[in-house]
């Protein structure tokens, strides 16, 4: 396709209703993601809504719910069955949490969204359990109330039903990226005078565990070069060398670090690590220039130099167009520029099927968001259940 035709095609895309759909998706994606970032308390809200006496609820489960499951469900949905129907087992809590081929069987606190409740109430002509006949009104009410109260299930032990890729709930929950941040005890200094901060004490503790001792302290010139290269990517000037080497203050090093962090070169040096996906063109099959991409680059550099809070840094890039600007035009431009994060990356502009092009853009945005902020890869699940991260194709779509 001639270059001028490509340019016209791209201009049509960004001015047509197709692009309105892209913008609409970006806003939708931003809304969903900013919900994750801004409203992390949703789980606790749900917990408050369905708060119950756990001991009492556990006893009610054992006396009313468990016998019902054993009588009507275990024949087809347990580990003792020859083959669990639909991959669903109900003889362990992990079984209904993971669910079967259709996903989790129960959404605690929400019987209306729980497949198990839909099945027993015969609300779906293709999903009616047990198939031999509908449960009594009393039995249906018992299940509904149990789910509404949070689906308390004291069965901690018991076999787990793996999904199609052999994963279990415990395996999925053990992934490093899903672990909560833990508070760890800082090793004791044991009277050793070495170490400026707590990180140094961790280093010293590991050295001692390996029977190793510290090297001799670096001289001031070496310290200056290491710090300057590390924080700005540049060598110290002759005047900076003379000033630091002759500085006899006990806190000379702290002053050095503060000076380097205040340098505009700090953001230029460390912003590059965030800009691993950055480019002044879309790449891919047609290298079409993105003339204003540099504005996003400068936004990243400026954010580091202003020591912007990391959580704000994330929110602005995922949902800057949805955040309040306080009536400031400059702030509005900054927030919109931040969403360049979603627009960067390869785009196959020669794709003749504009619907597929839209989905490809969506896919790339989902994948980079998962990689960057969640430590998980989403892109694989576009075609198949993920073999490592606990994401199914159904979850993806």
């Amino acid at each position: 396709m001639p270059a001028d035709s490509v340019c016209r095609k791209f201009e049509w895309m960004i001015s047509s209703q197709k692009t309105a759909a892209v913008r609409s998706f970006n806003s939708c994606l931003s809304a969903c993601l900013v919900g994750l970032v801004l409203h992390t308390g949703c789980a606790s809200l749900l917990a408050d809504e369905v708060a119950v006496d756990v001991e009492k609820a556990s006893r009610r489960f054992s006396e009313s719910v468990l016998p019902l499951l054993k009588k009507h469900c275990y024949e087809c949905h347990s580990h003792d069955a020859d083959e669990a129907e639909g991959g669903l087992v109900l003889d362990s809590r992990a079984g209904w949490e993971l669910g079967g081929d259709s996903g989790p069987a129960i959404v605690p606190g929400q019987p209306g969204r729980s497949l198990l409740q839909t099945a027993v109430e015969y609300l779906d002509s293709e999903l009616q359990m047990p198939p031999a006949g509908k449960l009594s009104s009393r039995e249906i009410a018992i299940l509904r109330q149990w789910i509404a109260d949070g689906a308390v299930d004291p069965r901690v032990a018991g076999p787990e039903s793996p999904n199609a890729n052999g994963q279990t709930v415990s395996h999925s929950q053990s992934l490093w990226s899903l672990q909560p941040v833990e508070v760890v005890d800082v090793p004791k200094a044991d009277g050793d005078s070495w170490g400026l901060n707590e990180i140094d004490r961790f280093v010293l503790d590991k050295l001692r565990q390996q029977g190793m001792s510290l090297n001799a302290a670096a001289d001031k010139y070496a310290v200056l070069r290491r710090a300057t290269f590390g924080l700005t990517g540049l060598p110290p000037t002759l005047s900076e060398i003379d000033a630091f080497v002759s500085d006899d203050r006990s806190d000379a090093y702290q002053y050095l670090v503060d000076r380097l962090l205040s340098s505009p070169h700090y953001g230029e040096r460390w912003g590059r690590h965030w800009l691993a996906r950055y480019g002044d063109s879309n790449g891919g099959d047609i290298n079409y220039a993105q003339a204003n991409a540099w504005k996003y680059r400068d936004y990243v550099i400026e954010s580091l130099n202003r020591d912007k809070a990391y959580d704000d840094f994330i929110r602005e890039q995922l949902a800057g167009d949805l955040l309040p600007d306080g009536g400031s035009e400059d702030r509005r431009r900054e927030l919109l520029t931040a969403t360049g994060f979603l627009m960067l990356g390869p785009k196959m502009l020669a794709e003749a099927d504009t619907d597929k092009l839209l989905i490809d853009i969506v896919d790339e945005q989902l994948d980079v968001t998962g990689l960057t902020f969640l430590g998980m890869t989403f892109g694989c699940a576009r075609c198949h259940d993920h073999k490592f991260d606990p994401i199914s194709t159904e979850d993806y779509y």
Side-chain angles (χ1 to χ4, degrees), residues 176-313:
W176 70 268
S177 60
L178 303 181
Q179 302 311 303
V181 177
E182 296 182 357
V183 177
V184 296
D185 295 327
V186 179
K188 295 181 179 179
D190 294 333
D192 196 300
S193 61
W194 180 84
L196 299 175
N197 53 47
E198 294 179 339
I199 295 177
D200 289 343
R201 286 160 62 182
F202 279 101
V203 174
L204 183 59
D205 184 61
K206 284 295 184 182
L207 288 174
R208 287 174 172 168
Q209 290 178 25
Q210 300 299 321
M212 301 172 67
S213 58
L214 295 168
N215 291 329
D219 60 38
K220 295 187 72 173
Y221 174 65
V223 168
L224 173 63
R225 281 183 59 84
R226 292 175 187 175
T228 308
F229 270 115
L231 291 178
T232 69
L234 300 169
T237 64
L238 290 176
S239 60
E240 290 170 345
I241 294 172
D242 291 338
F244 182 69
V245 171
S246 61
D247 191 344
D248 295 328
R249 292 176 298 181
S250 60
D251 56 357
Y253 180 70
Q254 282 83 351
Y255 273 98
L256 167 65
V257 172
D258 286 342
R259 176 177 66 78
L260 294 173
L261 291 176
S262 299
S263 167
H265 300 309
Y266 166 72
E268 295 165 358
R269 157 79 164 138
W270 285 94
R272 293 184 308 149
H273 296 282
W274 191 263
L275 293 169
R277 181 165 161 269
Y278 172 82
D280 290 317
S281 61
N282 68 283
D285 48 8
I286 299 174
N287 204 22
Y288 191 85
Q290 298 181 140
N292 291 314
W294 61 271
K295 294 183 179 181
Y296 173 75
R297 176 202 65 195
D298 287 2
Y299 159 82
V300 171
I301 294 172
E302 181 65 17
S303 294
L304 267 72
N305 282 332
R306 286 165 48 194
D307 196 23
K308 180 175 292 182
Y310 182 62
D311 54 351
D312 290 336
F313 188 56

Side-chain angles (χ1 to χ4, degrees), residues 100-135:
D101 299 340
S102 301
I106 295 170
V107 180
Q110 301 184 59
R113 294 183 56 199
S114 299
L115 290 176
L116 179 63
Q117 194 66 31
T118 298
V120 299
E121 293 190 20
Y122 281 33
L123 299 178
D124 184 335
S125 61
E126 297 182 0
L127 183 64
Q128 298 182 346
M129 297 294 166
K134 190 175 180 180
L135 299 180

Side-chain angles (χ1 to χ4, degrees), residues 1-250:
M1 183 181 294
D4 59 339
S5 298
V6 173
C7 294
R8 286 196 299 271
K9 176 180 177 182
F10 187 71
E11 290 167 359
W12 171 80
M13 285 171 52
I14 63 176
S15 62
S16 69
Q17 293 182 350
K18 293 289 184 181
T19 301
V22 175
R23 289 197 300 270
S24 175
F25 171 78
N26 284 344
S27 297
C28 180
L29 175 65
S30 298
C32 293
L33 293 171
V34 80
L36 291 174
V37 178
L38 297 178
H39 302 293
T40 52
C42 60
S44 61
L45 290 176
L46 176 60
D48 291 341
E49 292 174 3
V50 298
V52 294
D53 184 326
V54 176
E55 183 177 350
K56 183 178 180 181
S58 297
R59 185 167 60 252
R60 187 183 304 120
F61 172 85
S62 299
E63 293 175 353
S64 302
V65 179
L66 185 57
L68 192 157
L69 294 176
K70 287 181 177 179
K71 178 180 179 181
H72 297 288
C73 307
Y74 275 21
E75 182 179 354
C76 300
H77 297 286
S78 72
H79 287 84
D80 292 331
D82 293 336
E83 182 176 352
E85 292 289 337
L88 172 66
V89 293
L90 297 173
D91 55 352
S92 70
R93 185 174 66 194
W96 59 257
E97 284 179 338
L98 182 62
D101 299 340
S102 301
I106 295 170
V107 180
Q110 301 184 59
R113 294 183 56 199
S114 299
L115 290 176
L116 179 63
Q117 194 66 31
T118 298
V120 299
E121 293 190 20
Y122 281 33
L123 299 178
D124 184 335
S125 61
E126 297 182 0
L127 183 64
Q128 298 182 346
M129 297 294 166
K134 190 175 180 180
L135 299 180
S136 68
S137 298
R138 177 179 174 278
E139 290 172 323
I140 291 175
I142 288 174
L143 285 176
R144 172 171 283 276
Q145 189 62 52
W146 170 58
I147 297 174
D149 288 341
V152 174
D153 185 344
R155 298 175 298 173
V156 177
E160 294 185 77
S161 176
N163 65 12
N165 294 322
Q167 292 183 356
T168 59
V169 170
S170 59
H171 163 76
S172 300
Q173 292 176 343
S174 69
L175 292 175
W176 70 268
S177 60
L178 303 181
Q179 302 311 303
V181 177
E182 296 182 357
V183 177
V184 296
D185 295 327
V186 179
K188 295 181 179 179
D190 294 333
D192 196 300
S193 61
W194 180 84
L196 299 175
N197 53 47
E198 294 179 339
I199 295 177
D200 289 343
R201 286 160 62 182
F202 279 101
V203 174
L204 183 59
D205 184 61
K206 284 295 184 182
L207 288 174
R208 287 174 172 168
Q209 290 178 25
Q210 300 299 321
M212 301 172 67
S213 58
L214 295 168
N215 291 329
D219 60 38
K220 295 187 72 173
Y221 174 65
V223 168
L224 173 63
R225 281 183 59 84
R226 292 175 187 175
T228 308
F229 270 115
L231 291 178
T232 69
L234 300 169
T237 64
L238 290 176
S239 60
E240 290 170 345
I241 294 172
D242 291 338
F244 182 69
V245 171
S246 61
D247 191 344
D248 295 328
R249 292 176 298 181
S250 60

